[in-house]
Amino acid sequence: MFGYIRAFKPYLRICEYETYQAIYCGLCKQMAKRTGQASRLTLSYDMTFLAMMNMAVNEIPVKARRERCPVHPINKRLCVYDNKGLEYPVDAAAILVHYKLSDGVADGGLAERGVSRAAMAALSKGYKAARKRCPQLDEQIAEQMKLQLEYEAQRTPILDKACDPTARMMQAVFSSLSDDEDKQSLLGRFGYQLGRYVYITDALDDVRKDRKSGNYNPLLLIDGVSANGGELSSAEYRKIVRFCENAVNLTLGELAVCYMQLDVKMYRATLDNIIYVGLKNVFELVKKGKFSKIKRNKEK
Amino acid sequence: MTSKDPYQILGITPNASEDEIKKAYKEAVKKYHPDRYQDNPLSEVAEEKMAEINEAYDEIMNMRRSGANSYDYGYSGSSYDVNYGAVRQMIQRGNVTDADRDLDSVPENSRNAEWFFLKGSVCYSRGWLGEAAKYFDIAARMEPNNPEYNAANNRMNMNSGGYMNGSRDVYGAPRAYRNGDDCSNTCTTLCIADCCCEMMGGDLIPCC
């Protein structure tokens, strides 16, 4: 969806990295089958994390083999194949991408509107297939999307409220990973905090752009940031960063509590890397303005 | 309606159970019964007191029977608008919406430390951590010696300083691989040390 949830590669062992990459490539192949060739372009690291959590919670082992693909025509890549754990993340991602694009059509700039509309058309078949398989998830996300538009129109200054719809979407996505009721609520809380992290990080990433365009961004409404338009002063930006750090740390602290309670066994080292190092690393990059929006969904 | 709080007259809290109310009433009646004050100059006072007790008892029982366990007299010094024990139970059972509605019905000028703590707990259950941290902080400031409020507040402070449960087990060292500069790590450590000191009654950083 955004690409913020990713491993910090320098601290992955080679075997962990290979599994991570094989799941990424396996998802891409699965998308071609399940939601159409065009959907492969929407592949993100967030999905890889969702797939890995799915496999960890349901204890699904992976089998991988070397395969060719259009993106890497020369060297064969390790791909996870024949894995039930890949199916739900592909459907969930198709639904999430659909609503993200519809949001772009509704309130993006002229260029964004055009691109979003074209992309939506190209992906509509895959989305419809996914909706058919996960009607409940689709409903929940549609409902939260409506609330998000409502809160944006209200220009709410409360960050917790602004986060709520995104967080609830992720809550819905993650709670469906298990059939066990207790686990569902724990996974839901885990997903909720992850959604908060994504929202806050994205808001910080967009804060300068939103200031220029006059778009709603809750971070522009905190104390100490002038209500007038124009460039953000560096003092104001520092204030926003401090505010975000506080909010992200609170969120990650709670995320870690849920993660420990879930106590997954498989893929633990890679999941630990993402939760304890990867998320903080991405936030640091965003803070320094070094997180490239264009490259973030590319594999390397 | 009396001008005094009926619960105060019987010397009980609004959280008291029906049995406790009856017991308190019986004791009060024994104490002020007119038979005890025959040929006593205090008999008139005792009679007045007795009437007050009866009235208070009737009022409480009527209120409970009609199902309204919240009321507002508007006299100063009391804020028994909502039964906080019941709100606590609602939060524990996960009934956050009702708990929040009851809390919001308390007028702003009679919100005490417990109110802020419970409001924080409601926010926390919802995952609204920023608001929860704010309310816990207020509760802990209003009643600095309450261990419950302090524990909640310290936990939020620890998390907002960058603490993550379980991170110690990853790569062996706490926050060793955090991608920040060493200075911010030192600050975090100091903040946590400060929290710990405050828990023990001391203070490492006097300003926070």
Side-chain angles (χ1 to χ4, degrees), chain B residues 129-162:
Chain B
L129 303 178
E131 298 295 300
K134 246 186 258 171
Y135 288 119
F136 286 151
D137 186 55
I138 297 172
R141 273 168 208 268
M142 285 172 94
E143 266 184 43
N145 295 324
N146 186 308
E148 192 183 25
Y149 308 163
N150 277 330
N153 191 36
N154 285 335
R155 191 173 149 193
M156 298 310 262
N157 282 342
M158 244 166 91
N159 283 354
S160 66

Side-chain angles (χ1 to χ4, degrees), chain B residues 47-196:
Chain B
E47 243 170 71
E48 259 177 44
K49 195 80 191 159
M50 197 59 217
E52 210 177 70
I53 289 162
N54 281 327
E55 209 176 322
Y57 179 73
D58 286 344
E59 195 178 336
I60 292 172
M61 286 329 240
N62 282 338
M63 242 162 18
R64 299 241 163 173
R65 257 174 233 125
S66 64
N69 46 8
S70 66
Y71 64 104
D72 184 11
Y73 282 100
Y75 47 81
S76 64
S78 179
S79 58
Y80 296 138
D81 293 281
V82 162
N83 182 343
Y84 288 143
V87 171
R88 236 171 232 272
Q89 278 180 358
M90 283 183 215
I91 297 171
Q92 272 160 15
R93 280 197 306 264
N95 186 1
V96 184
T97 320
D98 286 350
D100 199 30
R101 193 203 51 224
D102 280 8
L103 285 173
D104 282 343
S105 73
V106 177
E108 253 173 72
N109 53 15
S110 50
R111 291 173 179 177
N112 59 7
E114 189 173 19
W115 186 90
F116 283 100
F117 171 74
L118 291 173
K119 185 76 179 172
S121 304
V122 164
C123 291
Y124 179 79
S125 306
R126 285 192 169 140
W128 287 35
L129 303 178
E131 298 295 300
K134 246 186 258 171
Y135 288 119
F136 286 151
D137 186 55
I138 297 172
R141 273 168 208 268
M142 285 172 94
E143 266 184 43
N145 295 324
N146 186 308
E148 192 183 25
Y149 308 163
N150 277 330
N153 191 36
N154 285 335
R155 191 173 149 193
M156 298 310 262
N157 282 342
M158 244 166 91
N159 283 354
S160 66
Y163 173 75
M164 284 177 86
N165 188 16
S167 67
R168 221 163 265 267
D169 309 331
V170 182
Y171 308 114
R175 289 186 302 285
Y177 294 94
R178 237 178 72 140
N179 215 15
D181 49 9
D182 286 333
C183 173
S184 80
N185 276 347
T186 317
C187 291
T188 311
T189 318
L190 275 175
C191 283
I192 293 172
D194 181 49
C195 291
C196 296

Side-chain angles (χ1 to χ4, degrees), chain A residues 65-81:
Chain A
R65 64 183 170 210
R66 299 209 169 265
E67 283 181 44
R68 256 184 237 290
C69 81
V71 190
H72 306 101
I74 303 179
N75 290 324
K76 286 186 177 180
R77 294 256 156 174
L78 264 182
C79 291
V80 168
Y81 66 98

